[in-house]
Amino acid sequence: MKFQDPQERNDAMKPPTTTDNWNEVKAAAEAALPAPIVEFIADCRRREHPESHLISVLHKVQGHFGYLSAEHMDAVAQLLQVPAAKVSGVATFYHFFRLRPRGRYVINVCLGTACYVKGADKLVAKLKDELGIDFGETTSDGMFSLEASRCLGTCGLAPVVMFNDDVHPRVTPDQVPVLLQQYLDRARKAPPAAP
Amino acid sequence: MGQVLENYRKLSARAEEALHWTQQAEKIRIQVGSATCENAAGAEEVLAEFRKHIAASGRDDILLRRTACTGRCSCEPIVGVMIPGKTAAKYEKVDRELVHRIFTQHVLGGRPVADRLLDSPPDTMVRYELLFCGSARCGRLLEKDFRQLFLDRLAARKIPESQARVVAANCFGLCRTEVIGKASHVLVLPTKVIYRIADEADLDEILDTHVLGGRIVERLRVPDAPIGQRFFEMYGDVAFFNRQSRIALRNSGIIDPENLFEYVHFNGFEALARALDRNDPAWVVEQVTASKLRGRGGGGYPTGLKWAGAAERPGETKYIICNADEGDPGAFMDRSMLEGDPFSVLEGMMIGAFAIGATRGFLYIRAEYPMAIRRVEHAIAQCREHGLLGENILGSGFSLDLEIRLGAGAFVCGEETALIHSIEGQRGQPRIRPPYPAERGLWGCPTVINNVETFANVPVVLHYGPQWFAQIGTEHSGGTKVFALAGKVNHTGLVEVPMGATLREIVFGIGGGVPGGKRLKAVQTGGPAGGCIPAEFLDTPVDFDTLGKVGSIMGSGGMIVMDEDDCMVDIAKFFLTFSQDESCGKCTPCREGTRRMLEILERITSGKSAPDDLARLERLGKLVKKASLCGLGRAAPNPVLSTLKYFRDEYEAHVTRRTCPARKCTALVRYEIDPGKCVGCTACARNCPVSCISGAPKKVHEIDQARCVKCGRCFQVCRFDAVLRK
């Protein structure tokens, strides 16, 4: 890509004035995303290199919805004035972004080297066995999703499993059923908040 | 005094005023570590519990402080208790119940909870502690065993163990050209005095006057405070720590990472202020070049050269980037630094930006590190508030703003050109270099990218001088390196040692060796880009060049210890699975080559390999190494090639004999029942998930090999060791 003056590129990114349906497209895109994110995108567009904030925007969208749907990505593309192909290209390139909804509790097994040599492979086998799902899948009751993480950076506590934001250090395969039950109990006590 | 230094002095005065705890020497201080792993181990709960206890006691002379992590992961959470006039006591693995004991028995009662002190025998709370510098440059002074000299003198004076204890520490960083080989240094705690001693008579005087008489020997006292002093004062009695040299981690576990004033209190931003006061970017570049500081992200490129390259580029717009996309599995130094001492990284960036003439900078941090992101955000906001970021910093006319950009889980983004693409909002794919980023980087402008640890070292270089820094390391590489020690080692955690320390010193001296009396098989350095170094090379000095010679790399600092239970083929497969998965797909050798290599390794570990698979694997590995576009691909075959070189017999056992010597590769393991030991308890048969074990109660059982899925359940449940794993 040829390097352009930031200001010049900013002008080029402005919505074309000749299309008549921009207002409708914009309204539809804004309706698909929560107001703070719409405001954040507008703010990005006022800054230098607005397209460079694409990853931050996708982080926020996923933070809100838990995943990125085609509709969300399309809305981001319109509002940030970045081609939809680029948005989906970025979303599919990075492991962090998910294109399907996830379970209430996302189980993240660390498969870093330290965890691996301390037996994370056995934990994975047990988790897959107990849940009946593979990595990247969600149980049919929508309760658990299973994911592998590269390294959570808490190698001293290996092997580590995360349930959403809770870090469980030094987990043994025998503890797996107990942990799962704990979270099931917790879910039963606190029904999910309306989205 | 220049305007900049005057402004810095004002900031420093504000800091002293705000930090009432530093003036209140008579107060008792309790400090709790708080970082991602400390919190996972329960530090927040401990902090809350102490808060409750202090409130309930009604005492107003007890201060509760939060610091970050010291890097002693396996003992977390760690709590320090400092009672005026006493040696600081550290407790390991603190929980609620222990909080209560510490508070009632130690804080209120003055008696330490001896059985829970960090790494110490119960009788550890001695009156005086003498830490002598055990580094080569200091210790050579007296040809005799230094420690023994001390002990003999203590015995001659009938000073009991409870009165004084001798500890061998690592370099305090006091060595200067004029004293090398002529003097040694001793830190006496809790008085916090460092003596420089030339001969045995000096030693006698210290023991007589200080230890017995309680008076400081002013004649021998070293006036300056060395960099390691604060750290040794707090942690010097712990073997894991006192054999380290803390430079990049100088403040981790000492200061509150969310308080700019504490950083300023420990000379923070003084190096920046001095550089701005001189107003000579070329001088900064010269200093950094002379220090022999090399890039700590793994490449080892001299930082000074990189800066000089960007500084001499024409153009108004330049950028500085901190690479905090720490993706290597098993490495967590950068996270710990960002969580424990974010200001020093920011100061390093500011100095770098000034040196190359950048006015905007980015910190590219992994999204997986929420606490590091929060702390850096907080630190940037505090810097802005106190005029250390933004327009006209400290009245110098130099302006800089820093911004955080989040990664999104792509290992390849640690490669600098891929990282730049990611900041630009694109797919993080690398491009061909040259042009290097220092020439054409972010948005086509000259850009300097350095690792977190590199930046953390920069303020020290300016503060203590490049000669001092260069002297700490080896001939071509100055300073220290932080390693994340993990795997089959007793003490896991962060280890900072001078460049050139041996692997043996790190794994056995600091890490405490392999648990369970097992034999060390290999040390893996450099993450998925590095190689496995076999036990016979343990005396290799750790440096960029020497590790390259034994087929590994320094890398960013991950260090995984493996014992005899680890199968090297399986480890090679593990790393290749990682590299294969993280291959961005841009160039063919990496995308296709790693895939084919992985297929061969899968064949080998599942017992389906062809006779020429090893030759094919090696040839392919060399090809991928030569032909790939970026560092990820070029380094991806390293774990395979190095294990093929040093552990070829293990590969051959898999290929020709179809066995796994470490019994790790499931498909090659065979379970059998020893008829001599089996008592027919039926435990194995009842637990077998595929019911492939037959035999009546009290009769010898048998495993049907055709149906066995090799889950190992029978092996686990047998209480008579009758199930054999072959």
Side-chain angles (χ1 to χ4, degrees), chain B residues 417-434:
Chain B
T417 57
L419 188 151
I420 287 174
H421 285 148
S422 187
I423 291 183
E424 287 172 350
Q426 304 180 44
R427 293 163 70 100
Q429 288 179 314
R431 63 159 171 80
I432 291 173
R433 300 179 301 177

Side-chain angles (χ1 to χ4, degrees), chain B residues 628-644:
Chain B
S628 293
L629 171 67
C630 80
L632 187 149
R634 279 199 293 267
N638 280 347
V640 178
L641 293 175
S642 71
T643 47
L644 262 176

Side-chain angles (χ1 to χ4, degrees), chain B residues 594-718:
Chain B
T594 53
R595 161 75 66 191
R596 297 288 96 82
M597 285 174 74
L598 187 58
E599 284 169 5
I600 297 176
L601 281 173
E602 267 160 7
R603 281 208 295 274
I604 294 175
T605 52
S606 58
K608 294 177 188 144
S609 54
D612 59 344
D613 267 352
L614 288 188
R616 195 177 295 149
L617 184 63
E618 199 159 12
R619 190 168 50 88
L620 204 50
K622 286 179 178 160
L623 184 141
V624 172
K625 195 170 174 160
K626 265 191 200 152
S628 293
L629 171 67
C630 80
L632 187 149
R634 279 199 293 267
N638 280 347
V640 178
L641 293 175
S642 71
T643 47
L644 262 176
K645 185 172 168 195
Y646 296 120
F647 299 96
R648 204 175 182 99
D649 53 330
E650 276 190 43
Y651 279 88
E652 278 165 357
H654 283 76
V655 175
T656 55
R657 296 200 301 280
R658 301 269 195 260
T659 57
C660 173
R663 316 264 180 277
K664 177 83 188 169
C665 300
T666 327
L668 301 178
V669 172
R670 201 182 142 88
Y671 292 94
E672 282 173 23
I673 293 176
D674 182 349
K677 283 186 179 167
C678 179
V679 297
C681 73
T682 73
C684 55
R686 278 183 283 117
N687 279 289
C688 179
V690 291
S691 307
C692 75
I693 304 179
S694 56
K698 298 192 178 155
K699 294 273 164 55
V700 171
H701 283 51
E702 200 185 350
I703 299 174
D704 180 358
Q705 296 296 340
R707 284 196 291 149
C708 174
V709 291
K710 297 167 180 180
C711 67
R713 193 78 190 126
C714 50
F715 182 77
Q716 284 166 11
V717 296
C718 182

Side-chain angles (χ1 to χ4, degrees), chain A residues 92-115:
Chain A
T92 50
F93 181 83
Y94 294 97
H95 296 295
F96 201 83
F97 297 126
R98 285 166 208 90
L99 307 181
R100 267 177 297 182
R102 296 187 298 165
R104 177 139 182 223
Y105 298 107
V106 179
I107 306 173
N108 223 323
V109 190
C110 178
L111 285 184
T113 325
C115 289

